[in-house]
Amino acid sequence: MDWRGKRVLVTGAGKGIGRATAVMLARRGTKVVAMTRSKEDLKTLAAEIDCEPVCADVADSDALRPAVLSALPVDMLVNCAGTTVLSSFIDTDPEEFDRVFAVNTKAPVIIGQIVVRDWLRRGVVGAIVNVSSDAARRAVADHTAYCASKAALDAITRVMALELGPSGIRVNSVNPTVTMTPMGVLAWSDPAKADPVKARIPLGRFLDPDEIAEAILFLLSDEASMINGVSLAVDGGLAIT
Ligand code: NDP
């Protein structure tokens, strides 16, 4: 894949997996449009790679629309911004549930709609990767809202792939297991919780953000030209246990 000349919108580019993806894309020659919430993260990212920063809270639909329009035109989209709340099913607060869905599920729909409308108007054959989670398929204690939001994102990915495939647009998700980003540290620092999960992973360890970024770049690339509508486990084999 020759990435030069491609413009890629990456949300959640300030930290963790989104940042690793933005850095990898930039090092391979793309122009990254980096969207995230924290201005400080955008400043340090812009010092690290050549990118166009867009500061936006993707949970704020009214502010999100003009922010995405300002990022156009792009050739590819990575929906990576994500959030979680740790609470048992019985204690899950409906407002927190809505907030998790707004970031993890609704924002990729709004962003995808704006980007795809532009592609259809211009006849661009683009590719989208939604960053989902292994929690889309597994029950994870204290993750009611998160598991549901990612399962919904996988479902949306499949419908997008079905409806947009005839226009040549491919839509896939990556479904990583635990990765020690700021979000991963929040949820998985307790060895009593982490060790049993790690023990079930055939490859015996959690992920490095670059290992997910590589999978994202593959799904975006021409090398994945007939891969559409998949939810790709990036989990060291956890899904088969
Ligand atoms: P991090 O918390 O490390 O980084 C998330 C990034 O998204 C941050 O830059 C954050 O900005 C941004 N973000 C969060 N909410 C918003 C918002 N409302 N508007 C704009 N930007 C926002 O998370 P990870 O890198 O770990 O996660 C990235 C994706 O990968 C998520 O979708 C997550 O669900 C998924 N994932 C993560 C796993 C893990 O173990 N870490 C495992 C499986 C999937 P800010 O800090 O300023 O809020």
Side-chain angles (χ1 to χ4, degrees), residues 12 14-17 36-38 56-59 80-82 103 131-133 146 150 176-179 181-184:
K15 296 185 178 76
I17 297 164
T36 193
R37 193 163 49 169
S38 155
D57 179 348
V58 302
C80 189
V103 177
V131 180
S132 181
S133 170
Y146 186 79
K150 294 297 190 178
T177 189
V178 178
T179 313
T181 61
M183 179 191 284

Side-chain angles (χ1 to χ4, degrees), residues 1-8 25 28-30 75-76 125 127 170 217-225:
M1 172 83 182
D2 183 359
W3 295 93
R4 283 169 304 176
K6 301 284 184 202
R7 273 171 67 86
V8 187
L25 282 165
R28 302 228 175 134
T30 69
D75 302 290
M76 299 170 186
V125 174
R170 295 182 302 105
L217 265 70
F218 170 67
L219 289 175
L220 289 176
S221 75
D222 294 344
E223 279 77 18
S225 53

